[in-house]
Amino acid sequence: MSIPSDLDIAQAATLKPLDDVARQMDLPLELLEMHGHDVAKIELDAIEAMADRPRAKYVVVTAITPTPLGEGKTTTTVGLGQAFSHIGKRGVVAIRQPSMGPTFGIKGGAAGGGYSQVVPMEKFNLHLTGDFHAVTSAHNMLSAVLDNHLYQGNAAGLDPYRVTWRRVLDVNERALRNIVTGLGGRMDGVPRESGFDITSASEVMAVLALSNDLADMRARLGRIVVGYTRDGDAVTAEDIHGAGSMAALMRDALKPNLMQTLENTPVLVHAGPFGNIATGNSSIVADRVGIHCGDYLVTEAGFGADMGAERFFNIKCRTSGMTPDAAVVVATVRALKVHSGNHKVVAGKDLPPALLEENPDEVHAGAANLRKQIENMRLHGVSPVVCINAFPTDHDSEHAAIREIAESMGARAAVSTHFSDGGRGAAELAEAVAEAANEESHFQLLYPDDASLREKIETIASKVYGADGVDYAPAANTSIDLYERNGFGGLPICVAKTHLSISSDPKLLGAPTGWRMPVREVRASVGAGFIYPICGDMRTMPGLGKNPAAHHIDVKPDGTIVGLF
């Protein structure tokens, strides 16, 4: 069966008026702030207004370690949210807003796919209500205040060589990765090296995602560390009088956005923190609204379960106090075959023909990755359900192999065809998730707040990644000591590493053992509320490829957007 393109499907969708979508959620209409006909912001008063309502089951969607092509977490999240109506339940979806950098680059949009999408997908992927622009403006406002502070006499005693705050832009632009500011005459500022990151990598974006309310966001913005004095004392946004203006720019961005799926399931779209150096999860505020608006709140964690889900548990849940009732681990035949070590998948190129041949033995050969990610759910006391995300090129025997692997670990499993069949195709998955979510919860954090930073890093490395130990570069040790001396030791850890392996080495497939995790650098996002050790080369400003999506996106004379995918 030939399926139309995602954009064609989305543009043919019949949308409900957002008033009707809000009524499905029992969300008072006076709490909606309309942005056109098909997007609205939800006033923050909704959190308190609905606080005494029953709490939905809280479900996080994660995955095995993905191939470079991804394994369909967002599509599964949307499809599962739609599926609950097919089993007589009310589902609500909460996901991140995509960065426009990847949308115009190689990855494309992030609205889901096939018949499990958020619509209108053009608005979802382009601007939406301007939250990313607010983050960009607030971040760069602080940059301007910082450089002005240096120019006006530097009362805080910032060491220009220890300034850590850069600038951001929501565009893939490699030429801006490393820059020198302040060039020109004496009136043009203090020359120093700096650079640009993409907006989703901004600490302000992580603050947006992890704030519980407006007062919390204002306090977090004030705690952002912009650099250090020569004596090693942290200098914050509050110290240089930049936090108040940032909060003013971010006030409306803290309100979550309401949209809908192709089947008119309510979707809360909010925040878009980077999945490598930040949490890779949508906002706490959106979840605090959605948890009282249906029977199931389905949210997504970026990348594999060793990354996005671990951060969801140990950073997001630690911060919000909300605890999950079940976790979905998305697995595909092609990814498990890749983990067998017999195939190489490259983004932008056709799949190897041998990968598409029926071979359940190869699925079993790559099973170690799935087993370890199921274990990672159980480390946190959460019931896992394996979603077998079906592709037309799969074979029944290969689906049976994944089900056998899951059941051998005591996990439920369900084949899901939500891409081609929408919510109806995920009904079996919804039933399995409902069963798992009804089990008694035993959620637990991986480490206590009062553990040292090194203890936290080593706990994640050994228990989640399977490492034999951690090797710290001298600069990493110096930073850890500096952070603990400044009082940041109680913060949780967000390890920045490759998403292509459970380990820190993208070449290691499956569930590697006998390796040690190298930490070359450690940075602090004090306002957001985490410390991030860096293992490998993390690009915080992507570049455009030779044939980016930007070459193909256009607008017809009638205003219809084409070329999005």
Side-chain angles (χ1 to χ4, degrees), residues 3 71-72 75-76 330-334 387-396 399 402 414-421 425:
I3 296 177
E71 306 317 312
T75 308
T76 300
V330 180
T332 61
V333 166
R334 70 185 187 188
C387 168
I388 304 169
N389 185 15
F391 285 72
T393 53
D394 297 347
H395 301 272
D396 290 343
H399 291 165
I402 298 178
V415 175
S416 189
T417 59
H418 47 274
F419 182 90
S420 55
D421 299 318

Side-chain angles (χ1 to χ4, degrees), residues 434-507:
E435 289 179 5
N438 283 330
E439 294 179 348
E440 185 178 355
S441 176
H442 300 285
F443 177 73
Q444 60 186 12
L445 299 170
L446 195 60
Y447 49 80
D449 289 341
D450 59 4
S452 71
L453 294 179
R454 289 179 180 84
E455 287 172 337
K456 294 170 183 174
I457 294 168
E458 289 156 17
T459 297
I460 295 171
S462 61
K463 292 190 175 181
V464 178
Y465 306 155
D468 286 349
V470 177
D471 297 322
Y472 300 94
N477 276 319
T478 299
S479 294
I480 289 173
D481 293 341
L482 174 68
Y483 300 150
E484 291 188 332
R485 182 169 73 78
N486 275 279
F488 309 151
L491 296 178
I493 297 297
C494 182
V495 178
K497 72 173 187 70
T498 179
H499 63 286
L500 297 174
S501 173
I502 290 179
S503 76
S504 58
D505 182 348
K507 299 183 183 68

Side-chain angles (χ1 to χ4, degrees), residues 111-260:
Y115 289 94
S116 293
Q117 292 189 62
V118 179
V119 286
M121 72 99 82
E122 304 97 320
K123 287 189 177 181
F124 181 84
N125 287 305
L126 304 174
H127 301 293
L128 198 57
T129 56
D131 294 347
F132 270 54
H133 302 307
V135 170
T136 302
S137 297
H139 183 117
N140 293 335
M141 169 68 76
L142 182 57
S143 301
V145 168
L146 187 157
D147 278 306
N148 185 59
H149 186 89
L150 293 174
Y151 176 78
Q152 300 292 352
N154 193 11
L158 261 171
D159 182 349
Y161 295 100
R162 302 183 77 177
V163 170
T164 55
W165 194 251
R166 290 157 56 93
R167 286 171 166 79
V168 297
L169 190 68
D170 197 28
V171 172
N172 288 3
E173 176 57 286
R174 64 172 57 82
L176 293 177
R177 285 173 183 161
N178 299 288
I179 65 169
V180 177
T181 62
L183 295 179
R186 187 180 64 84
M187 299 296 292
D188 296 316
V190 178
R192 63 181 184 87
E193 291 187 19
S194 186
F196 276 79
D197 301 321
I198 199 162
T199 297
S200 55
S202 167
E203 184 176 349
V204 180
M205 183 66 81
V207 166
L208 176 64
L210 290 169
S211 295
N212 277 285
D213 51 39
L214 185 59
D216 186 27
M217 184 179 73
R218 171 61 181 83
R220 287 172 181 272
L221 292 171
R223 291 197 295 268
I224 288 174
V225 173
V226 298
Y228 297 85
T229 67
R230 287 179 173 84
D231 293 330
D233 296 326
V235 178
T236 66
E238 203 71 71
D239 293 333
I240 61 172
H241 309 294
S245 293
M246 296 172 73
L249 290 169
M250 291 292 293
R251 182 193 64 174
D252 290 337
L254 189 59
K255 303 170 185 176
N257 304 293
L258 177 62
M259 299 185 73
Q260 61 189 290

